[in-house]
Amino acid sequence: MFLDKVISVTLGAIFLLMLACEDPAAERSEAVAETHTRTLLDDPVFWDYAASSNLLQVQMAELAAKQGSTEHIRNLAREAADYHKQTLQQLKALVKKQEHIKLPIGLEGADKTLVQDFTLLEGEEFDLRYREFVLSTHNAQLNRYEEALTKADDQLTRDWIMDLRSHLRSKINLITQPDSVVMAAQ
Protein backbone atom coordinates (compact mmCIF):
# COMPACT_ATOMS: atom_id res chain seq x y z
CA MET A 1 0.00 0.00 0.00
CA PHE A 2 2.78 2.38 0.94
CA LEU A 3 4.55 1.46 -2.32
CA ASP A 4 1.39 2.36 -4.29
CA LYS A 5 1.35 5.82 -2.68
CA VAL A 6 5.04 6.39 -3.46
CA ILE A 7 4.49 5.37 -7.09
CA SER A 8 1.44 7.68 -7.35
CA VAL A 9 3.30 10.64 -5.88
CA THR A 10 6.30 9.97 -8.12
CA LEU A 11 4.17 9.73 -11.26
CA GLY A 12 2.29 12.91 -10.24
CA ALA A 13 5.57 14.75 -9.72
CA ILE A 14 6.88 13.58 -13.11
CA PHE A 15 3.65 14.74 -14.75
CA LEU A 16 3.93 18.17 -13.11
CA LEU A 17 7.58 18.45 -14.15
CA MET A 18 6.65 17.60 -17.73
CA LEU A 19 4.06 20.37 -17.73
CA ALA A 20 6.51 22.83 -16.23
CA CYS A 21 9.17 21.95 -18.77
CA GLU A 22 6.98 22.41 -21.82
CA ASP A 23 8.93 22.86 -25.04
CA PRO A 24 10.06 26.53 -25.21
CA ALA A 25 10.49 26.18 -28.97
CA ALA A 26 6.72 25.72 -29.26
CA GLU A 27 6.19 29.00 -27.40
CA ARG A 28 8.67 30.79 -29.64
CA SER A 29 7.02 29.51 -32.81
CA GLU A 30 3.65 30.73 -31.53
CA ALA A 31 5.16 34.15 -30.81
CA VAL A 32 6.76 34.29 -34.26
CA ALA A 33 3.48 33.33 -35.91
CA GLU A 34 1.68 36.04 -33.94
CA THR A 35 4.29 38.66 -34.92
CA HIS A 36 4.14 37.62 -38.56
CA THR A 37 0.40 38.16 -38.83
CA ARG A 38 0.62 41.68 -37.36
CA THR A 39 0.35 44.30 -40.08
CA LEU A 40 1.65 47.82 -40.27
CA LEU A 41 -1.95 49.02 -40.26
CA ASP A 42 -2.11 47.88 -36.63
CA ASP A 43 0.76 50.19 -35.65
CA PRO A 44 -0.58 53.68 -34.84
CA VAL A 45 2.89 54.86 -33.75
CA PHE A 46 4.26 54.34 -37.26
CA TRP A 47 1.39 56.24 -38.87
CA ASP A 48 1.77 59.10 -36.41
CA TYR A 49 5.46 59.24 -37.33
CA ALA A 50 4.72 59.12 -41.06
CA ALA A 51 2.12 61.90 -40.84
CA SER A 52 4.26 64.07 -38.55
CA SER A 53 7.36 63.73 -40.72
CA ASN A 54 5.41 64.60 -43.88
CA LEU A 55 3.76 67.57 -42.14
CA LEU A 56 7.22 68.79 -41.13
CA GLN A 57 8.54 68.33 -44.67
CA VAL A 58 5.63 70.41 -46.05
CA GLN A 59 6.17 73.24 -43.55
CA MET A 60 9.93 73.35 -44.08
CA ALA A 61 9.59 73.16 -47.86
CA GLU A 62 7.05 75.99 -47.94
CA LEU A 63 9.43 78.08 -45.84
CA ALA A 64 12.38 77.21 -48.11
CA ALA A 65 10.35 78.13 -51.20
CA LYS A 66 10.01 81.62 -49.73
CA GLN A 67 13.37 82.09 -48.00
CA GLY A 68 15.78 80.06 -50.12
CA SER A 69 18.53 82.23 -51.57
CA THR A 70 19.00 80.20 -54.76
CA GLU A 71 16.57 79.13 -57.42
CA HIS A 72 17.79 75.54 -56.96
CA ILE A 73 16.70 75.48 -53.30
CA ARG A 74 13.40 77.23 -54.04
CA ASN A 75 12.57 74.77 -56.85
CA LEU A 76 13.46 71.76 -54.71
CA ALA A 77 11.32 73.17 -51.92
CA ARG A 78 8.27 73.76 -54.13
CA GLU A 79 8.50 70.21 -55.48
CA ALA A 80 8.94 68.84 -51.95
CA ALA A 81 5.91 70.73 -50.63
CA ASP A 82 3.71 69.41 -53.45
CA TYR A 83 5.00 65.86 -53.08
CA HIS A 84 4.59 65.67 -49.30
CA LYS A 85 1.09 67.18 -49.45
CA GLN A 86 0.13 64.46 -51.92
CA THR A 87 1.82 61.83 -49.74
CA LEU A 88 -0.20 63.00 -46.73
CA GLN A 89 -3.43 62.59 -48.70
CA GLN A 90 -2.43 59.06 -49.70
CA LEU A 91 -1.52 58.28 -46.09
CA LYS A 92 -4.94 59.46 -44.90
CA ALA A 93 -6.60 57.22 -47.48
CA LEU A 94 -4.55 54.21 -46.36
CA VAL A 95 -5.58 54.51 -42.71
CA LYS A 96 -9.09 55.94 -42.95
CA LYS A 97 -10.72 52.58 -42.11
CA GLN A 98 -8.44 52.10 -39.10
CA GLU A 99 -10.42 53.73 -36.29
CA HIS A 100 -7.61 53.25 -33.77
CA ILE A 101 -5.26 55.44 -35.81
CA LYS A 102 -5.53 59.18 -35.17
CA LEU A 103 -3.25 61.26 -37.38
CA PRO A 104 -1.88 64.61 -36.24
CA ILE A 105 -3.30 67.65 -38.05
CA GLY A 106 -0.45 70.04 -37.31
CA LEU A 107 3.06 70.31 -36.00
CA GLU A 108 3.75 70.11 -32.30
CA GLY A 109 6.68 70.36 -29.90
CA ALA A 110 10.16 70.14 -31.36
CA ASP A 111 8.91 70.16 -34.96
CA LYS A 112 7.07 73.43 -34.44
CA THR A 113 10.13 74.94 -32.74
CA LEU A 114 12.37 73.82 -35.58
CA VAL A 115 10.23 75.61 -38.16
CA GLN A 116 10.22 78.74 -35.99
CA ASP A 117 14.02 78.59 -35.71
CA PHE A 118 14.34 78.34 -39.49
CA THR A 119 12.23 81.47 -40.01
CA LEU A 120 15.08 83.44 -38.37
CA LEU A 121 17.67 82.25 -40.91
CA GLU A 122 18.53 84.06 -44.14
CA GLY A 123 20.54 83.66 -47.32
CA GLU A 124 23.29 81.09 -47.59
CA GLU A 125 22.92 80.11 -43.93
CA PHE A 126 19.28 79.21 -44.58
CA ASP A 127 20.19 77.19 -47.68
CA LEU A 128 22.96 75.32 -45.87
CA ARG A 129 20.77 74.49 -42.86
CA TYR A 130 17.88 73.48 -45.13
CA ARG A 131 20.16 71.09 -47.04
CA GLU A 132 21.34 69.61 -43.73
CA PHE A 133 17.73 69.27 -42.59
CA VAL A 134 16.71 67.45 -45.77
CA LEU A 135 19.68 65.09 -45.61
CA SER A 136 19.26 64.19 -41.96
CA THR A 137 15.48 63.79 -42.02
CA HIS A 138 15.40 61.90 -45.30
CA ASN A 139 18.07 59.46 -44.11
CA ALA A 140 16.17 58.92 -40.85
CA GLN A 141 12.94 58.39 -42.77
CA LEU A 142 14.58 55.91 -45.12
CA ASN A 143 15.66 53.82 -42.14
CA ARG A 144 12.19 53.95 -40.58
CA TYR A 145 10.42 53.10 -43.85
CA GLU A 146 12.85 50.25 -44.52
CA GLU A 147 11.85 48.73 -41.19
CA ALA A 148 8.15 49.38 -41.84
CA LEU A 149 8.33 47.66 -45.20
CA THR A 150 9.03 44.36 -43.43
CA LYS A 151 5.73 44.72 -41.53
CA ALA A 152 3.59 45.94 -44.42
CA ASP A 153 1.40 43.04 -45.50
CA ASP A 154 -1.01 44.79 -47.86
CA GLN A 155 0.11 45.87 -51.32
CA LEU A 156 -1.24 49.44 -51.14
CA THR A 157 0.85 50.17 -48.06
CA ARG A 158 3.90 48.51 -49.59
CA ASP A 159 3.51 50.58 -52.77
CA TRP A 160 3.12 53.78 -50.74
CA ILE A 161 6.28 53.06 -48.77
CA MET A 162 8.25 52.06 -51.89
CA ASP A 163 7.25 55.29 -53.65
CA LEU A 164 8.18 57.36 -50.63
CA ARG A 165 11.55 55.64 -50.30
CA SER A 166 12.29 56.25 -53.97
CA HIS A 167 11.41 59.92 -53.60
CA LEU A 168 13.56 60.32 -50.49
CA ARG A 169 16.58 58.75 -52.20
CA SER A 170 16.24 60.95 -55.29
CA LYS A 171 15.94 64.10 -53.15
CA ILE A 172 19.01 63.14 -51.13
CA ASN A 173 20.93 62.84 -54.41
CA LEU A 174 19.58 66.15 -55.69
CA ILE A 175 20.18 68.14 -52.50
CA THR A 176 23.79 66.95 -52.26
CA GLN A 177 24.63 68.37 -55.68
CA PRO A 178 26.26 71.80 -55.53
CA ASP A 179 24.27 74.61 -57.13
CA SER A 180 26.99 75.03 -59.77
CA VAL A 181 26.47 71.44 -61.00
CA VAL A 182 22.70 71.94 -61.14
CA MET A 183 23.06 75.24 -63.01
CA ALA A 184 25.41 73.62 -65.56
CA ALA A 185 22.92 70.81 -66.15
CA GLN A 186 20.09 73.23 -66.93
Side-chain angles (χ1 to χ4, degrees), residues 56-57 60 114 118 129-137:
L56 179 60
Q57 293 295 331
M60 292 295 284
L114 181 65
F118 264 78
R129 295 275 307 275
Y130 180 69
R131 285 178 197 260
E132 291 170 353
F133 164 80
V134 170
L135 287 174
S136 67
T137 58

Side-chain angles (χ1 to χ4, degrees), residues 18-175:
M18 288 176 56
L19 287 177
C21 296
E22 190 176 68
D23 185 10
E27 289 177 28
R28 277 196 303 269
S29 66
E30 289 173 10
V32 169
E34 184 179 318
T35 302
H36 178 68
T37 59
R38 182 172 181 239
T39 70
L40 194 59
L41 289 174
D42 294 331
D43 187 357
V45 173
F46 169 77
W47 296 104
D48 180 78
Y49 169 81
S52 296
S53 61
N54 278 285
L55 283 167
L56 179 60
Q57 293 295 331
V58 168
Q59 291 283 321
M60 292 295 284
E62 288 175 345
L63 184 61
K66 293 177 191 170
Q67 287 187 216
S69 68
T70 65
E71 194 60 34
H72 174 61
I73 292 294
R74 289 190 299 272
N75 284 338
L76 283 175
R78 283 189 284 272
E79 290 172 13
D82 291 342
Y83 178 82
H84 288 286
K85 284 178 187 176
Q86 177 186 4
T87 300
L88 275 168
Q89 294 306 312
Q90 293 169 347
L91 184 152
K92 289 175 185 176
L94 283 172
V95 300
K96 71 180 176 184
K97 293 180 183 177
Q98 307 300 320
E99 293 178 10
H100 64 284
I101 297 176
K102 305 292 184 226
L103 298 177
I105 56 173
L107 294 180
E108 296 176 3
D111 290 345
K112 195 173 193 177
T113 302
L114 181 65
V115 174
Q116 290 170 346
D117 290 347
F118 264 78
T119 61
L120 303 174
L121 301 175
E122 296 176 351
E124 289 181 24
E125 183 181 7
F126 179 90
D127 290 359
L128 177 63
R129 295 275 307 275
Y130 180 69
R131 285 178 197 260
E132 291 170 353
F133 164 80
V134 170
L135 287 174
S136 67
T137 58
H138 281 33
N139 281 316
Q141 288 173 318
L142 276 173
N143 291 336
R144 187 74 183 257
Y145 294 131
E146 190 76 37
E147 178 186 315
L149 196 55
T150 64
K151 296 178 185 176
D153 292 340
D154 65 291
Q155 193 59 44
L156 289 175
T157 302
R158 290 182 66 75
D159 290 345
W160 181 81
I161 292 172
M162 294 295 285
D163 180 58
L164 189 52
R165 288 174 55 226
S166 175
H167 168 81
L168 293 172
R169 283 189 186 111
S170 71
K171 293 306 169 192
I172 288 170
N173 291 336
L174 216 62
I175 200 81

